[in-house]
C-alpha cells in the first residue's frame, strides 16, 4: 500500500522546514531500541524536530486509516504525503482534501510528489478552517501531531473531532463513515508509540 518515499522525495529545504534522507544501521542501537528498524528513510524536519517520517511506526500507526479510507476524505496535515500516495489510486476514494498549515510544506511536497486530480491541498489551520457550505465527508482524519499524550487528546483531538463531526455525511448516506485522529488511542491512554 505504501510507496517508496525515499525514491519519491529528494532532500530540500524551504524556510524552517527541511526534507532529508537518513539511514539507520544495525549498530544504531539507541535508534533501533526506539522502534526504528535498520533501513533508509525520509523525514520532514521543522526547526530540528521531526514532523513526519516513513519509518515503520508511522506506517503502522496510519495503516488503519489507509485501509479504511473511502469516498470524500478530509485530512488534516500533509506531512511527507505518505498516506495520500497510499490512498489516491484506490478506486473507493473519490476526493482527498488536505489541510496544511504551512505553505513551505506544501511547496516542498507538491513539487516532488505525483498527486492525482482527486487531491486538493489547502493552506489552512485545521483549528480555524471551515468547508464550503454543504460540503460533507465520508472520512475525516487529523494527523497534525509530532507526539501524543493525554493532554494532546483532551486539548486538541477531542475538540477537533467535535468540530469536524458536523461535516461528516449522514450514517444513512455513508454507513462506514469515520472521524479519527492519528494515534488517538495512544494519546487517550497516554501510551508511547
Amino acid at each position: 500500500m505504501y510507496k517508496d518515499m525515499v525514491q519519491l522525495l529528494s532532500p530540500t529545504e524551504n524556510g524552517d522546514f527541511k526534507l532529508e534522507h537518513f539511514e539507520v544501521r544495525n549498530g544504531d542501537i539507541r535508534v533501533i531500541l526506539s522502534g526504528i528498524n535498520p533501513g533508509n528513510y525520509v523525514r520532514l524536519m521543522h526547526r530540528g524536530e521531526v514532523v513526519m517520517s516513513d519509518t515503520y511506526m508511522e506506517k503502522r500507526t496510519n495503516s488503519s486509516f489507509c485501509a479504511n479510507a473511502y469516498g470524500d476524505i478530509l485530512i488534516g496535515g500533509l506531512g511527507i504525503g505518505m498516506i495520500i500516495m497510499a490512498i489516491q489510486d484506490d478506486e473507493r476514494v473519490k476526493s482527498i482534501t488536505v489541510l496544511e498549515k504551512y505553505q513551505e510544506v506544501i511547496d516542498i511536497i507538491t513539487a516532488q510528489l505525483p498527486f492525482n486530480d482527486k487531491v486538493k491541498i489547502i493552506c489552512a489551520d485545521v483549528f480555524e478552517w471551515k468547508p464550503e457550505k454543504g460540503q460533507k465527508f465520508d472520512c475525516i482524519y487529523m494527523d497534525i501531531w509530532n507526539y501524543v499524550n493525554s493532554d494532546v487528546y483532551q486539548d486538541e483531538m477531542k475538540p477537533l473531532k467535535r468540530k469536524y463531526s458536523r461535516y461528516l455525511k449522514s450514517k444513512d448516506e455513508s454507513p462506514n463513515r469515520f472521524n479519527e485522529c492519528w494515534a488517538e488511542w495512544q494519546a487517550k491512554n497516554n501510551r508511547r508509540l
Side-chain angles (χ1 to χ4, degrees), residues 32-142:
I32 293 169
L33 289 175
S34 73
I36 301 176
N37 296 330
N40 294 307
Y41 302 98
V42 62
R43 63 186 167 205
L44 179 64
M45 306 288 291
H46 181 243
R47 298 180 182 164
E49 185 175 342
V50 177
V51 173
M52 186 179 180
S53 70
D54 64 339
T55 61
Y56 173 72
M57 181 278 293
E58 292 277 6
K59 291 176 179 178
R60 178 179 49 81
T61 56
N62 284 293
S63 63
S64 179
F65 165 74
C66 291
N68 294 299
Y70 74 97
D72 296 306
I73 300 166
L74 176 65
I75 298 173
L78 175 59
I80 61 171
M82 182 179 76
I83 64 175
I84 298 163
M85 293 299 294
I87 67 171
Q88 74 174 357
D89 294 325
D90 188 324
E91 62 188 30
R92 300 171 303 155
V93 173
K94 286 176 48 184
S95 71
I96 305 168
T97 302
V98 181
L99 306 177
E100 172 53 54
K101 184 176 181 179
Y102 299 102
Q103 186 63 48
E104 298 94 333
V105 174
I106 295 170
D107 294 344
I108 288 172
I109 301 303
T110 60
Q112 297 191 53
L113 293 183
F115 292 134
N116 66 28
D117 59 357
K118 294 179 187 179
V119 180
K120 178 181 180 182
I121 300 173
I122 301 168
C123 186
D125 185 326
V126 298
F127 292 97
E128 298 171 6
W129 184 79
K130 292 181 184 172
E132 296 173 14
K133 186 173 182 174
Q135 188 176 19
K136 300 281 185 171
F137 301 94
D138 297 283
C139 306
I140 298 172
Y141 188 65
M142 295 292 141

